[in-house]
Amino acid sequence: SKESGKSNYHIYTSSMNIQTYKTFSLESGLRNAIELNQFEFYYQPKVCSRTNQIVGVEALIRWNHPEWGLLSPDEFIPLAEEIGLIAEIGKWVKYQACSQNKAWQDAGLPAIPISINISPLRFLEKNLVKNIISVLEETKLDPEYLEIEITETSVLENEKVVLSTLDELKSIGVRISLDDFGTGYSSLSYLKLFKGRINALKIDRSFIKDLSEKDPDGSNFITKTIIELAQHLKMNVVAEGVENTEQLQILKHYNCETIQGYLFSKPVPADEFAVLLGKGKIE
Ligand code: C2E
Ligand code: CA
Ligand code: CA
Ligand code: CA
């Protein structure tokens, strides 16, 4: 009816206004967020599928916004890229991850690699390796305890630059993993280039989510194939987004070595992660 059409229109415009206002507010706030100490990492363990031992951790950025609360990266990383603040955030990310990991080691907790996410275009940045070396020196973190997660998109941008960056990172001892594997515009032929350059493949959650005894859509088969492919290429394999024991059992059956997901732990603040790491294992 005309009546409900009118009210829908109303709701629509008022929510548009809120969205516009929010974008505006985030954009102006983002410029000062680092100075105001509003970024925080949440940490999610990577767990060995056989022993339940914590074998790594991924640092995931959050923005503690005074008005909008704890914001996830999807809400501000694209904006940061758009308005040219991503390099500065990237600096914070590298420094914070290395110094936190060093602090845990100095506190006597088990030494494990910490992963950070680098957005595709940042990976092509000229000073990336230099910046990483200087952060490692500054924080005194051994390079083998830093891991960079990149997506295939980076490689499509400029194959030559990416391969030489991967080689430089390898030569300084930093680990690399290929995130969201199986999505994107991946071409399997890239894997040949990655052999010996990438330490791990992370199977995207979209495949893990649909794992089930029955396998109606082929997710099991695809997952099994990715795991075998990784093993042939001498890469470790990590399943992301594992939420239940059925998925875990299937992944174990396929010999997937490393598990990440809500089943073991959601991403948690630093102090909570230190408690998990202190126990060493997740039961
Ligand atoms: P990602 O690297 O693929 O990270 C995995 C995302 O899945 C995280 O979302 C994590 O919280 C979520 N997750 C983990 N386990 C489960 C699960 O069992 N079930 C479900 N439903 N979700 C799970 P988050 O933290 O919101 O991060 C989203 C994306 O933002 C990340 O995707 C990454 O691409 C990006 N990101 C995070 N931190 C940074 C950063 O410091 N710099 C950059 N450039 N990007 C970042
Ligand atoms: Ca990641
Ligand atoms: Ca991922
Ligand atoms: Ca993702």
Side-chain angles (χ1 to χ4, degrees), residues 268-282:
V268 294
D271 52 345
E272 277 179 55
F273 184 75
V275 173
L276 293 178
L277 188 55
K279 292 181 185 144
K281 268 186 187 187
I282 298 187

Side-chain angles (χ1 to χ4, degrees), residues 5-282:
K6 195 176 168 194
S7 71
N8 282 343
Y9 175 75
H10 224 77
I11 291 165
Y12 181 67
T13 47
S14 64
S15 73
M16 276 292 286
N17 287 337
I18 291 175
Q19 198 47 53
T20 311
Y21 169 64
K22 187 170 180 180
T23 308
F24 172 79
S25 141
L26 294 187
E27 187 173 329
S28 57
L30 204 49
R31 301 187 191 277
N32 301 314
I34 293 183
E35 262 178 82
L36 295 174
N37 222 354
Q38 291 172 342
F39 290 123
E40 188 181 355
F41 274 141
Y42 272 48
Y43 299 91
Q44 188 177 37
K46 299 182 184 181
V47 177
C48 171
S49 65
R50 281 176 301 106
T51 63
N52 285 16
Q53 204 99 27
I54 297 177
V55 293
V57 58
E58 180 170 3
L60 296 151
I61 197 169
R62 302 286 179 265
W63 178 12
N64 232 316
H65 193 282
E67 186 177 357
W68 304 101
L70 201 63
L71 299 177
S72 75
D74 296 328
E75 291 186 85
F76 63 89
I77 291 290
L79 183 64
E81 268 165 7
E82 213 177 290
I83 64 177
L85 289 175
I86 195 73
E88 237 187 292
I89 295 178
K91 237 193 220 167
W92 181 90
V93 163
K94 290 177 197 106
Y95 182 82
Q96 186 61 25
C98 293
S99 64
Q100 178 62 81
N101 202 17
K102 183 68 165 78
W104 283 328
Q105 292 179 8
D106 289 348
L109 294 166
I112 55 168
I114 191 164
S115 330
I116 57 173
N117 293 281
I118 297 208
S119 54
L121 285 173
R122 281 291 103 200
F123 196 73
L124 296 168
E125 159 200 2
K126 210 170 83 244
N127 293 324
L128 180 76
V129 178
K130 233 169 80 190
N131 292 342
I132 288 175
I133 293 173
S134 75
V135 169
L136 289 167
E137 279 170 358
E138 196 179 342
T139 59
K140 302 193 168 59
L141 182 73
D142 189 324
E144 69 177 297
Y145 297 117
L146 177 65
E147 179 166 287
I148 311 278
E149 297 195 358
I150 60 167
T151 59
E152 292 154 304
T153 325
S154 322
V155 190
L156 288 166
E157 297 290 341
N158 191 333
E159 189 179 306
K160 256 206 187 125
V161 174
V162 167
L163 292 181
S164 77
T165 301
L166 290 177
D167 288 337
E168 280 181 73
L169 288 172
K170 185 180 175 176
S171 76
I172 63 173
V174 167
R175 301 175 200 229
I176 311 281
S177 61
L178 201 53
D179 209 350
D180 301 345
F181 186 76
T183 61
Y185 306 91
S186 69
S187 122
L188 287 174
S189 66
Y190 280 126
L191 280 179
K192 283 197 292 195
L193 297 176
F194 287 146
K195 189 172 187 293
R197 292 182 162 114
I198 300 265
N199 302 79
L201 288 188
K202 298 187 76 175
I203 307 174
D204 192 70
R205 183 164 65 89
S206 55
F207 300 109
I208 307 304
K209 164 170 82 53
D210 294 327
L211 291 178
S212 76
E213 276 313 320
K214 294 207 191 78
D215 194 20
D217 66 350
S219 281
N220 291 34
F221 186 73
I222 294 170
T223 301
K224 178 172 185 273
T225 305
I226 296 175
I227 293 167
E228 285 171 359
L229 199 58
Q231 287 164 347
H232 276 290
L233 296 168
K234 309 250 186 302
M235 295 174 188
N236 196 336
V237 58
V238 181
E240 323 189 87
V242 179
E243 293 184 352
N244 60 54
T245 48
E246 189 183 8
Q247 294 162 346
L248 178 65
Q249 287 321 314
I250 293 167
L251 289 163
K252 282 170 106 160
H253 182 69
Y254 297 155
N255 293 315
C256 180
E257 301 145 283
T258 310
I259 306 291
Q260 189 178 351
Y262 295 170
L263 176 65
F264 285 115
S265 172
K266 290 199 166 179
V268 294
D271 52 345
E272 277 179 55
F273 184 75
V275 173
L276 293 178
L277 188 55
K279 292 181 185 144
K281 268 186 187 187
I282 298 187

